[in-house]
Amino acid sequence: MNLLRTKSIEQSIADADEPGRKLKRSLSTWDLMIMGVAVAVGAGIFSVGAKAAANFAGPAVTLSFAIAAVTCALAIMCYAEFATAIPVAGSAYVFTYATMGELLAWIIGWNLILELFTAAAVIAKYWGIYLSKVFALTGADIPPAIPLGGVDLYWGAFLIVAIFTVLLVLGTKLSARVGNIFTLIKIGVVLFVIVVGFTYVKVENYAPFVPAAEPTAGTGGAYVLKQSFFGFLTGAAPAQYGTLGIFAGAALVFFAFIGFDVVATSAEEVKNPQKTLPRGIFGGLALVTLLYILVSLALTGMVSYTQLAEAKSPTLTTAFEAVGDTSAAKVIAFGSLVGLTTVIMVLLMGLSRVVLAMSRDGLLPRALSKTSEKRSTPARLQIICGAAVALVAGLTNVDLLEEMINIGTLSAFVVVSLGILVLRKKRPDLKPAFRVPFGKVLPVVSAVLCLYLMTNLAVETWIFFAFWLVIGLAIYFAYGQRHSRLNERFAEATASVNSGPVTGRRAAEESDDEDELSRT
């Protein structure tokens, strides 16, 4: 049982063309760029920056966003090099399979499922809550949840997931067009908030730009679970603000950049991926970073970070209410609703593509990778993913697992960054359309930064993450390893080689099998 066997790039590309399991190439650079903006610019732009400023970084939250953006950009460079070399669905899972072997590929695929599934469920639940807020602003009192057999049913989550599941079944291009419209609307809302916010800015609110570190109060086991893993490992006294606060803020706001690895999962549905993927990914990242930094500057300039810290759950609305502009709350509520809408769509698509890639390889049931003959979409799988997300979002307290989204993403970023070094060593013959500059330096820096941000997540997040990995490994050894198509090919080739001398056509076929295995 060779757990480090790799799958050749040629085989990955060939599997993507398997009849009945193919996806249609229909997305352009513009579609990819908008997709990145669509999944990154959600309600988080109105809330995550306020939380980071209030509890971790103060006005230096702009530096937190910059650090998160640089970390994301370095990792996305590695994604772009991989995606132009292996333009198939599956993103980090496929890249890891080609470089570091099946077991680690399974772990990364399992982590991607964690990231995308949890993010889709959390955001679908928030969408329903924001929908009720929008109704309340218009005078209609419609609760976000209704009692159902002793549990609260968040009906909005079922509604939005059902709508986008249907759209994704009907076709990737159609859902992209709908997403484009929503994304342009929410960019307009964000620009409105930025312009209005800057009219209330007072320069004195930016001082001190980096607040002095302060010890945080609290004791007991529950408190230990909430502190950063880095602080737990080093024994450092829990504190907020200061230099470490900027990095803690970066770990939190990194949630706002998770969308760009999802874009890479669509590589198999992109026209001319060698040129389109890098342009679309980097164009979207640049626009998102600019919007986030402008929003954070407006936010911390409107009110003091200490005033934000007094709020139980600070948001951009908190800042506008503090300056007496309550009418802006309506615009922000509408912007949050529209912003979350497209995020859900892209996450649902990314989730189904990762599962599709894993099922093609036999690590999950092969039946899941069937695509529609008419529309070339994984209709059955998309419906299964949508139903699972809707049930979890509508019936559970899934928002408790928010940080699991970040740790799943960052773990994939670490492996992809290091995987570039392995790919270049194993396949120097490859000439991808995009290569990460400065040789080995940037991939290593990317991996270190991502790993450091992971250590700034809470201890309880790492505990949940460990449980998730144990469950994943149990599934792999119980099912995935035995049903792996690569394992089957290896067993067949080994059996034929051991059966003795052969001639003619069979010898040629076995020679091809041996060549394939030598590549892996």
Side-chain angles (χ1 to χ4, degrees):
M1 182 172 64
N2 186 353
L3 302 178
L4 300 180
R5 273 196 308 273
T6 57
K7 182 179 179 181
S8 71
I9 293 173
E10 290 77 10
Q11 187 62 54
S12 292
I13 294 173
D15 286 349
D17 286 328
E18 182 181 350
R21 303 177 196 274
K22 294 175 63 175
L23 298 172
K24 183 179 180 181
R25 294 195 182 276
S26 60
L27 301 177
S28 64
T29 299
W30 172 256
D31 291 325
L32 280 190
M33 182 175 171
I34 291 296
M35 188 184 296
V37 176
V39 75
V41 180
I45 198 170
F46 303 115
S47 60
V48 72
K51 291 178 182 177
N55 302 322
F56 297 105
V61 69
T62 54
L63 297 181
S64 297
F65 273 112
I67 291 169
V70 168
T71 303
C72 185
L74 292 174
I76 291 304
M77 284 184 187
C78 300
Y79 270 82
E81 181 169 337
F82 264 122
T84 55
I86 319 175
V88 299
S91 184
Y93 159 75
V94 173
F95 307 156
T96 307
Y97 212 160
T99 54
M100 298 187 182
E102 183 173 281
L103 178 60
L104 193 55
W106 164 267
I107 292 173
I108 292 302
W110 188 241
N111 288 350
L112 287 175
I113 292 174
L114 168 69
E115 169 204 345
L116 298 169
F117 183 88
T118 307
V122 168
I123 293 172
K125 183 173 183 178
Y126 282 155
W127 187 90
I129 294 171
Y130 276 109
L131 180 63
S132 293
K133 288 184 178 180
V134 171
F135 281 137
L137 290 171
T138 61
D141 185 16
I142 302 178
I146 54 176
L148 182 67
V151 298
D152 289 333
L153 170 65
Y154 286 83
W155 58 271
F158 279 90
L159 175 65
I160 191 62
V161 171
I163 290 172
F164 278 113
T165 297
V166 171
L167 279 174
L168 288 166
V169 167
L170 292 177
T172 304
K173 185 66 177 180
L174 173 62
S175 53
R177 286 174 179 167
V178 174
N180 290 352
I181 295 170
F182 278 102
T183 302
L184 292 174
I185 292 173
K186 69 179 175 182
I187 289 175
V189 172
V190 171
L191 291 175
F192 171 81
V193 169
I194 291 170
V195 171
V196 175
F198 269 104
T199 64
Y200 296 107
V201 165
K202 296 180 180 178
V203 176
E204 56 266 28
N205 287 329
Y206 292 127
F209 188 70
V210 181
E214 298 176 7
T216 53
T219 57
Y223 179 70
V224 170
L225 292 177
K226 294 294 183 182
Q227 77 175 114
S228 76
F229 191 56
F230 180 81
F232 176 77
L233 290 176
T234 60
Q240 60 184 149
Y241 309 128
T243 303
L244 291 180
I246 295 174
F247 283 96
L252 176 63
V253 302
F254 189 82
F255 174 79
F257 292 94
I258 65 166
F260 294 96
D261 61 318
V262 180
V263 176
T265 67
S266 64
E268 196 175 317
E269 297 165 89
V270 176
K271 301 173 185 174
N272 191 11
Q274 283 71 22
K275 291 183 179 179
T276 302
L277 272 166
R279 291 173 183 172
I281 291 175
F282 293 125
L285 179 61
L287 179 56
V288 165
T289 302
L290 178 63
L291 291 175
Y292 278 145
I293 289 177
L294 288 175
V295 167
S296 63
L297 283 172
L299 168 73
T300 53
M302 291 170 66
V303 296
S304 169
Y305 72 94
T306 55
Q307 197 169 352
L308 290 172
E310 292 172 0
K312 183 178 180 181
S313 183
T315 65
L316 197 57
T317 303
T318 308
F320 276 100
E321 289 175 346
V323 296
D325 190 351
T326 54
S327 62
K330 296 181 179 180
V331 177
I332 293 172
F334 174 73
S336 297
L337 185 67
V338 174
L340 289 177
T341 303
T342 51
V343 176
I344 297 167
M345 180 196 74
V346 180
L347 291 172
L348 286 172
M349 188 189 82
L351 174 62
S352 67
R353 273 42 175 187
V354 170
V355 176
L356 179 142
M358 296 175 74
S359 63
R360 270 181 184 162
D361 294 329
L363 301 184
L364 292 173
R366 287 268 291 163
L368 295 175
S369 59
K370 290 279 188 180
T371 55
S372 164
E373 291 184 11
K374 183 177 180 180
R375 297 184 176 88
S376 295
T377 59
R380 179 192 305 173
L381 176 57
Q382 196 70 67
I383 292 169
I384 292 172
C385 289
V389 168
L391 286 172
V392 171
L395 297 173
T396 71
N397 206 11
V398 70
D399 45 308
L400 293 176
L401 301 178
E402 274 187 63
E403 281 198 0
M404 295 296 286
I405 303 168
N406 286 8
I407 201 167
T409 306
L410 286 165
S411 65
F413 278 16
V414 170
V415 173
V416 169
S417 299
L418 297 177
I420 283 294
L421 305 180
V422 179
L423 179 69
R424 291 175 180 177
K425 184 175 181 179
K426 291 184 66 173
R427 296 297 303 271
D429 57 304
L430 290 179
K431 304 296 180 186
F434 176 85
R435 285 179 65 89
V436 181
F438 302 109
K440 300 177 181 179
V441 175
L442 291 188
V444 171
V445 171
S446 172
V448 170
L449 276 175
C450 290
L451 189 60
Y452 179 67
L453 288 186
M454 285 178 71
T455 66
N456 277 275
L457 296 172
V459 171
E460 66 178 354
T461 301
W462 280 85
I463 294 173
F464 286 137
F465 187 54
F467 277 119
W468 177 258
L469 290 179
V470 169
I471 294 170
L473 289 173
I475 293 173
Y476 173 74
F477 287 110
Y479 180 91
Q481 194 278 331
R482 293 189 297 111
H483 292 83
S484 164
R485 295 189 76 201
L486 187 62
N487 186 49
E488 291 173 357
R489 291 190 188 106
F490 185 85
E492 290 171 1
T494 302
S496 62
V497 169
N498 292 337
S499 64
V502 289
T503 59
R505 180 177 177 183
R506 183 179 166 199
E509 290 174 349
E510 291 184 1
S511 177
D512 289 342
D513 286 337
E514 290 180 31
D515 288 344
E516 178 67 26
L517 288 172
S518 68
R519 282 186 181 275
T520 62

